[in-house]
Amino acid sequence: MMFYAQLICICLCLFSTFVQAAEPCQLSLVYKDNGKTGYMAAAPSNEGLYKTLYQEVASSLGCTLFIERYPKKRTHMLLKAGEVDLYPSTGFDRKRSEYLYYIPNGLFRHEFYLGLTPNSVKNLTSISELNQHGLTWIFEGGSTIGQTAEAYQVLNQAITNLTDDRAITMLSKGRHIFYRIIREDYSKYLKNYGLKDLKSLNISTHKTCCKTKSHKLYTGIARNSDKYVEEINPDYNKNSDISARNFPYRLSKDTLMYQVAKQIQQLIMSGRVDQLYQEYIVVPGHTP
């Protein structure tokens, strides 16, 4: 009787080990639900460069990709808690590096901005002038724009799920606010509504108020994800600023995220990331 009990115990242990070994590989990616043209459509659609890129990464590793969409502020709460694995693309941010590990994704941000204000503001040449006009800078909740606004010491307000359309509507109704918009998105708005400018909505457009943003982009890996393991980075230079390239820790090779980083690097080197950029961003609407 003892023999059979032991045999059953061994079989159960083997079965448990088999089930664990057979557990499918899953990667989760989170992104703001109002989307970004070309990169990922507004929810519930996930179509765009990010979906294609990260599905290819997941498939190459034998994993299934799950995409979750939430307001931007909540996406970072989930990343911080390690409840999701990846954020598709972002610039390096020192504060966010407390919960994100940054790996190059082959993309680059080069954005020209315009400023929108009530029509009563005729000439705005710098963000620092907002206070003298009594304007409050509004931006999407969870954005690092808040840090920029604080650095300029101007009134500011984070708004959940703020979109270009919503901000322009607020301005057209007489709100005394400032909104920064990407030049290409501004042009798309005018085209969509058959407008030459926003004067008919009592909105002034300022072309020299805002600095161009230009820098490399990275995939953000949640440092609290159960698929992430880090180790001390022997090449870290404590006398230099922390950055994506100079970080106190590095990915351990004994982790799925190391394989994710390796696969993204291969897609960059093969020209695949640039190909996707050309298809989705340079020639929008073209399907690979």
Side-chain angles (χ1 to χ4, degrees):
M1 194 70 175
M2 179 77 68
F3 170 79
Y4 288 111
Q6 291 176 338
L7 181 61
I8 291 172
C9 183
I10 291 172
C11 289
L12 288 174
C13 289
L14 289 173
F15 178 75
S16 177
T17 301
F18 173 78
V19 170
Q20 292 177 5
E23 186 177 339
C25 169
Q26 299 179 350
L27 287 171
S28 57
L29 180 143
V30 68
Y31 194 57
K32 59 183 181 180
D33 49 12
N34 56 16
K36 184 176 177 64
T37 304
Y39 293 94
M40 186 175 283
S45 173
N46 296 320
E47 296 306 313
L49 185 154
Y50 294 154
K51 178 184 176 182
T52 301
L53 173 61
Y54 290 98
Q55 276 191 335
E56 290 187 12
V57 171
S59 295
S60 69
L61 299 173
C63 300
T64 301
L65 179 70
F66 292 90
I67 299 176
E68 302 181 36
R69 309 293 295 278
Y70 302 100
K72 191 167 188 176
K73 186 174 181 179
R74 187 177 177 192
T75 67
H76 284 278
M77 290 175 62
L78 293 171
L79 288 161
K80 188 173 184 178
E83 294 181 25
V84 288
D85 303 318
L86 301 168
Y87 192 73
S89 193
T90 182
F92 177 82
D93 181 77
R94 172 68 182 271
K95 186 175 181 180
R96 288 180 178 173
S97 71
E98 294 174 2
Y99 60 88
L100 287 180
Y101 182 82
Y102 294 86
I103 59 172
N105 63 14
L107 298 173
F108 194 85
R109 175 177 290 158
H110 192 70
E111 294 174 342
F112 294 91
Y113 296 105
L114 303 175
L116 303 181
T117 68
N119 203 39
S120 58
V121 180
K122 300 300 182 182
N123 185 31
L124 188 72
T125 60
S126 171
I127 298 295
S128 60
E129 297 172 7
L130 294 184
N131 285 341
Q132 70 186 61
H133 292 288
L135 298 175
T136 297
W137 188 353
I138 62 170
F139 48 86
E140 185 180 6
S143 170
T144 55
I145 291 175
Q147 297 176 41
T148 304
E150 291 296 336
Y152 276 104
Q153 297 183 328
V154 297
L155 295 174
N156 62 90
Q157 181 183 3
I159 299 177
T160 301
N161 281 339
L162 183 65
T163 62
D164 294 342
D165 284 57
R166 186 179 173 193
I168 290 172
T169 297
M170 291 170 68
L171 279 161
S172 70
K173 292 182 177 180
R175 293 285 297 275
H176 219 56
I177 54 178
F178 168 81
Y179 182 67
R180 191 180 71 175
I181 186 170
I182 298 172
R183 186 176 63 184
E184 288 75 15
D185 292 341
Y186 175 82
S187 298
K188 290 174 185 175
Y189 181 92
L190 296 182
K191 182 178 180 180
N192 289 340
Y193 290 94
L195 299 171
K196 291 184 178 180
D197 52 44
L198 298 179
K199 291 180 180 179
S200 62
L201 300 178
N202 294 315
I203 298 173
S204 289
T205 302
H206 306 274
K207 299 181 179 180
T208 61
C209 65
C210 311
K211 295 180 179 178
T212 298
K213 184 179 286 187
S214 184
H215 55 73
K216 291 182 179 179
L217 293 172
Y218 303 87
T219 298
I221 299 177
R223 294 177 64 191
N224 286 322
S225 165
D226 59 3
K227 304 174 185 69
Y228 174 89
V229 179
E230 64 185 25
E231 59 189 24
I232 298 296
N233 179 8
D235 298 322
Y236 170 62
N237 182 355
K238 64 180 181 181
N239 296 317
S240 297
D241 291 338
I242 288 180
S243 66
R245 296 189 64 181
N246 185 50
F247 201 65
Y249 305 96
R250 67 182 183 186
L251 279 169
S252 169
K253 293 184 179 180
D254 299 321
T255 174
L256 177 60
M257 287 306 169
Y258 179 85
Q259 297 303 320
V260 168
K262 186 176 179 181
Q263 184 58 33
I264 291 175
Q265 182 61 29
Q266 289 178 359
L267 291 174
I268 295 172
M269 297 300 292
S270 70
R272 177 58 174 160
V273 173
D274 185 62
Q275 180 186 6
L276 291 175
Y277 182 82
Q278 296 296 320
E279 292 170 346
Y280 282 103
I281 311 304
V282 178
V283 189
H286 177 75
T287 303

